[in-house]
């Protein structure tokens, strides 16, 4: 979420650690979204389009990575 102050301040360190450890990383930020944008029970933050896109990306990542096992 682009407006997630708690998580976003930690992203650079997380990305750096993943790269340094040669981990597979997919990162996407959804514009104009707040923490919890996937939670459809919280009308104030729910974003249907971002939730759908993020679910598709999550499924793609899991299928791609779990398929390697």
């Amino acid at each position: 979420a682009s407006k997630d102050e708690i998580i976003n301040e930690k992203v650079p360190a997380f990305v750096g650690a993943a790269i340094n450890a040669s981990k597979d990383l997919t990162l996407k930020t959804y514009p104009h979204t707040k923490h919890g944008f996937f939670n459809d029970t919280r009308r104030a933050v729910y974003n249907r389009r971002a939730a759908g896109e993020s679910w598709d990306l999550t499924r793609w990542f899991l299928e791609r990575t779990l398929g390697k096992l």
Side-chain angles (χ1 to χ4, degrees):
S2 66
K3 297 179 181 179
D4 189 335
E5 297 80 17
I6 297 167
I7 301 296
N8 290 343
E9 69 183 31
K10 298 174 183 170
V11 169
F14 173 78
V15 170
I19 290 170
N20 288 337
S22 300
K23 297 297 181 182
D24 188 0
L25 177 68
T26 300
L27 180 68
K28 176 166 173 122
T29 301
Y30 294 90
H32 314 293
T33 55
K34 295 181 180 180
H35 184 90
F37 70 85
F38 197 90
N39 186 345
D40 63 357
T41 66
R42 295 182 59 210
R43 289 186 182 266
V45 297
Y46 179 63
N47 184 304
R48 183 181 185 134
R49 189 177 90 233
E53 288 179 21
S54 67
W55 180 241
D56 290 343
L57 184 58
T58 299
R59 288 179 41 222
W60 168 81
F61 178 79
L62 292 173
E63 289 169 1
R64 183 173 58 88
T65 57
L66 294 177
K68 291 180 181 179
L69 297 176

